[in-house]
Amino acid sequence: MSIAENLKLIEERICAACERSGRSRGDVKLIAVSKYKPAEAVREAADAGQILFGENRVQEAQTKIPQCPPNLQWHLIGHLQSNKAKIAASGLFRMIHSVDSEKLLLALEQHTAIPLPILIQVNVSGEGSKSGCAPEEAAALIEAANNCSRVEVHGLMTIPPFTPDPEKARTHFSNLRKLRDELQEQTGTPLPELSMGMSGDFEIAIEEGSTFVRVGTDIFGERS
Ligand SMILES: *Cc1c(COP(=O)(O)O)cnc(C)c1O
């Protein structure tokens, strides 16, 4: 199957999940995750109408993005170390999904010249991936972002532990949404965006309120 055909299928699956959960298609944005894939694959997706792309490593993005059409929008979705904040905040990315420490937040604030939307990555399950702050730490990070003049917090992101049964991810997604609701109340900060759901589980994430689904394999094929 071609990338264009894959995108068409994903679109149908997103529409069906929105319909099942009484959501509007416009409330869910598809990020095509092009990590480890060449610029030609990005171009193919762009030719099929895809505008929003995600990369998980700053250095890979730094070489790839200039080889891609200039009208595309890029989000950084992978773990970011503070020592790479300068490049990450240099205008490559429209949004950074993986802010999980105050140190990183302040480094991004220091290096960005323009408003920089971010999401706070939360490890809602407490297991699996070591990136993401603990749920109890999220409020302090939101307050720290509110004290920044350029970094703007737009919501939360999570990566649930891998499981072959996507239904198992549902509770982590609904926990992220509940945490978002509590944090909005507690901090008075609007947190409209929830970045959750990948190839294996994006339909469940949409049913649980996702606004950004990050899909790689189901668009571009397996990564080597
Ligand atoms: C690679 C990656 C994805 C996409 O995963 P697939 O299973 O290939 O859809 C989503 N989010 C993050 C943070 C990733 O690193």
Side-chain angles (χ1 to χ4, degrees), residues 78-97:
H79 182 66
L80 176 60
Q81 278 164 338
S82 309
N83 61 10
K84 303 248 174 69
K86 187 173 179 178
I87 315 171
S90 67
L92 281 176
F93 301 108
R94 291 225 174 188
M95 184 179 273
I96 294 180
H97 289 227

Side-chain angles (χ1 to χ4, degrees), residues 66-137:
Q67 304 168 11
C68 294
N71 63 313
L72 305 183
Q73 302 173 5
W74 295 88
H75 287 195
L76 182 66
I77 60 172
H79 182 66
L80 176 60
Q81 278 164 338
S82 309
N83 61 10
K84 303 248 174 69
K86 187 173 179 178
I87 315 171
S90 67
L92 281 176
F93 301 108
R94 291 225 174 188
M95 184 179 273
I96 294 180
H97 289 227
S98 46
V99 176
D100 61 358
S101 73
E102 186 163 350
K103 187 176 173 209
L104 174 58
L105 187 76
L106 297 178
L108 292 169
E109 170 71 6
Q110 185 194 337
H111 291 295
T112 185
I114 54 170
L116 181 62
I118 61 137
L119 304 177
I120 304 292
Q121 183 178 352
V122 186
N123 184 352
V124 270
S125 69
E127 48 184 288
S129 143
K130 280 181 203 73
S131 42
C133 70
E136 314 80 76
E137 295 168 339

Side-chain angles (χ1 to χ4, degrees), residues 1-194:
M1 291 249 286
S2 71
I3 288 171
E5 286 168 324
N6 287 341
L7 276 166
K8 196 156 168 270
L9 281 180
I10 300 280
E11 180 57 33
E12 288 168 13
R13 289 166 65 188
I14 292 174
C15 285
C18 285
E19 218 155 277
R20 275 199 299 284
S21 47
R23 302 187 61 202
S24 137
R25 172 65 188 89
D27 294 343
V28 181
K29 292 149 306 257
L30 170 64
I31 301 177
V33 178
S34 50
K35 64 183 185 198
Y36 310 141
K37 299 289 176 182
E40 295 79 75
V42 172
R43 236 171 278 130
E44 220 178 304
D47 285 343
Q50 182 67 24
I51 301 246
L52 181 54
F53 290 84
E55 283 287 328
N56 76 328
R57 289 192 313 194
V58 171
Q59 261 140 345
E60 183 181 344
Q62 205 182 5
T63 30
K64 195 184 299 179
I65 292 175
Q67 304 168 11
C68 294
N71 63 313
L72 305 183
Q73 302 173 5
W74 295 88
H75 287 195
L76 182 66
I77 60 172
H79 182 66
L80 176 60
Q81 278 164 338
S82 309
N83 61 10
K84 303 248 174 69
K86 187 173 179 178
I87 315 171
S90 67
L92 281 176
F93 301 108
R94 291 225 174 188
M95 184 179 273
I96 294 180
H97 289 227
S98 46
V99 176
D100 61 358
S101 73
E102 186 163 350
K103 187 176 173 209
L104 174 58
L105 187 76
L106 297 178
L108 292 169
E109 170 71 6
Q110 185 194 337
H111 291 295
T112 185
I114 54 170
L116 181 62
I118 61 137
L119 304 177
I120 304 292
Q121 183 178 352
V122 186
N123 184 352
V124 270
S125 69
E127 48 184 288
S129 143
K130 280 181 203 73
S131 42
C133 70
E136 314 80 76
E137 295 168 339
L141 285 178
I142 290 164
E143 302 289 5
N146 286 340
N147 288 326
C148 291
S149 56
R150 292 173 296 275
V151 164
E152 301 171 345
V153 62
H154 286 222
L156 306 180
M157 179 269 219
T158 199
I159 307 173
F162 175 79
T163 143
D165 174 12
E167 268 302 324
K168 295 227 168 77
R170 187 182 294 279
T171 141
H172 304 304
F173 295 147
S174 87
N175 284 341
L176 191 73
R177 189 191 58 217
K178 285 180 208 150
L179 179 67
R180 185 275 304 274
D181 295 347
E182 287 162 20
L183 288 167
Q184 279 192 149
E185 186 107 325
Q186 187 187 338
T187 66
T189 309
L191 300 167
E193 307 292 358
L194 286 175

Side-chain angles (χ1 to χ4, degrees), residues 33 35 56 77-78 157 159 198-200 214-218 223:
V33 178
K35 64 183 185 198
N56 76 328
I77 60 172
M157 179 269 219
I159 307 173
M198 318 196 334
S199 291
R214 312 177 307 264
V215 179
T217 308
D218 280 6
R223 292 175 290 270

